[in-house]
Amino acid sequence: MKIGFIGLGNMGRPMALNLVKAGHELAVFDPVPASVQALSTAGAHAATSVQAVAQTHGLEMLITMLPAAAHVRAVYLGEDGLLAVVPKGVLLVDSSTIDPMTAREVAAAAQRQGNAMVDAPVSGGTGGAEAGTLTFMVGGADGDFARVQPVLARMGRNIVHCGGAGNGQVAKVANNMLLGISMIGAAEAMSLGVALGMDAQVLAGVINTSSGRCWSTDTYNPFPGVLPNAPASRGYTGGFGTDLMLKDLGLATEAARAAKLPVAMGALAQQLYQGFSAQGHGGLDFSAIIETIRGKAA
Ligand code: NAD
């Protein structure tokens, strides 16, 4: 299939590479020349602009993987943006993590233009992008999901249809809000137990076979040394950055405001990560938030 790919950053680059490896014909663009170079070396066609990707002869699908909603608006809705130039019928797929309201607005604009669009944010991080094991949360019409599914399956393992336009982003913000909250809960519980004299491994073992168990305790425990492969056991490097969690909690609280729904725990979690980031720790894995509880943050 002839596919356009715009946004070749930490996630987009390995995702696009997996599509090339799967035999798709790719036209790619990113403002960073080195990123485009990496793809053209692998066999993709290096386009010179967003517009050039959209105008690739015979294009069937176009995927974007951009930092945030402002970039998605600019790339799709800008004066010389994608919607102004992309031929009717090309299926548009945005995999960036953005708020559901913007996703729905851009999808509606695309629809008016004669292009179906799905939102397909991902979970799984750069490791999942490289290994082709991402989870895609997809919002869009049934027929469009059926068209996009086989392509996404070359970049991910779980491709979930979440409902109509914007619902992929809804699933993503709801999940990540819970993750942000549960990590702080895990950090408090682990810190409390250890401060009161328990061994961290034994405590984690009890929690993980009891009612407090969750992903933040059994797979990504924030206490150093409990899980050898978790970021906590390598100085909170790698993993999912505090600033990325902060971005997702911002999306969740913004979406909650639009829905007029109180998310007190989500908002509190957002403020705690914001304080941690303001201390200069935005680049550390988000489980490092435990350091503010243990009194170890600088
Ligand atoms: P990134 O900043 O590494 O990559 C974004 C790319 O978009 C950059 O290469 C940038 O040059 C390009 N870009 C910016 N403006 C552009 C424009 N106008 N036209 C074309 N290209 C443009 O970000 P990332 O880590 O790859 O994340 C991408 C998205 O995926 C974000 O929305 C992020 O929240 C989400 N996400 C990231 C992770 C992760 O672990 N990094 C995990 C899940 C979801």
Side-chain angles (χ1 to χ4, degrees), residues 112-170:
R112 285 195 296 275
Q113 178 68 31
N115 297 93
M117 181 164 183
V118 302
D119 47 297
V122 302
S123 166
T126 52
E130 276 155 30
T133 56
L134 294 168
T135 290
F136 282 85
M137 294 155 259
V138 185
D142 290 351
D144 300 326
F145 176 75
R147 278 170 73 197
V148 86
Q149 198 277 343
V151 174
L152 301 185
R154 307 316 291 252
M155 302 183 281
R157 198 156 44 195
N158 302 305
I159 322 296
V160 187
H161 191 194
C162 301
N167 276 16
Q169 302 292 356
V170 171

Side-chain angles (χ1 to χ4, degrees), residues 45-261:
H45 168 69
T48 50
S49 66
V50 162
Q51 295 75 18
V53 172
Q55 289 168 335
T56 302
H57 182 70
L59 194 70
E60 293 160 85
M61 190 178 289
L62 201 162
I63 302 171
T64 49
M65 190 53 163
L66 300 163
H71 307 82
V72 173
R73 277 180 188 284
V75 166
Y76 281 90
L77 307 177
E79 211 168 291
D80 51 358
L82 278 178
L83 295 189
V85 291
V86 72
K88 288 187 199 320
V90 173
L91 179 57
L92 305 172
V93 182
D94 181 38
S95 281
S96 325
T97 300
I98 64 171
D99 64 279
M101 294 78 70
T102 301
R104 286 174 181 155
E105 186 190 328
V106 178
Q111 196 72 51
R112 285 195 296 275
Q113 178 68 31
N115 297 93
M117 181 164 183
V118 302
D119 47 297
V122 302
S123 166
T126 52
E130 276 155 30
T133 56
L134 294 168
T135 290
F136 282 85
M137 294 155 259
V138 185
D142 290 351
D144 300 326
F145 176 75
R147 278 170 73 197
V148 86
Q149 198 277 343
V151 174
L152 301 185
R154 307 316 291 252
M155 302 183 281
R157 198 156 44 195
N158 302 305
I159 322 296
V160 187
H161 191 194
C162 301
N167 276 16
Q169 302 292 356
V170 171
K172 172 83 183 170
V173 297
N175 177 71
N176 279 26
M177 183 177 82
L178 179 55
L179 173 62
I181 295 168
S182 75
M183 182 55 75
I184 294 171
E188 287 189 358
M190 289 299 302
S191 302
L192 177 67
V194 172
L196 293 175
M198 262 199 86
D199 175 80
Q201 295 258 10
V202 176
L203 177 58
V206 172
I207 291 173
N208 291 336
T209 49
S210 304
S211 47
R213 183 185 65 81
C214 64
W215 188 89
S216 296
T217 62
D218 74 1
T219 306
Y220 215 86
N221 199 293
F223 205 92
V226 170
L227 296 171
N229 294 326
S233 298
R234 52 171 192 266
Y236 302 101
T237 55
F240 185 51
T242 293
D243 279 345
L244 284 176
M245 174 51 82
L246 189 53
K247 174 197 166 188
D248 290 355
L249 286 168
L251 293 176
T253 53
E254 211 178 295
R257 188 161 55 87
K260 299 199 185 331
L261 188 90

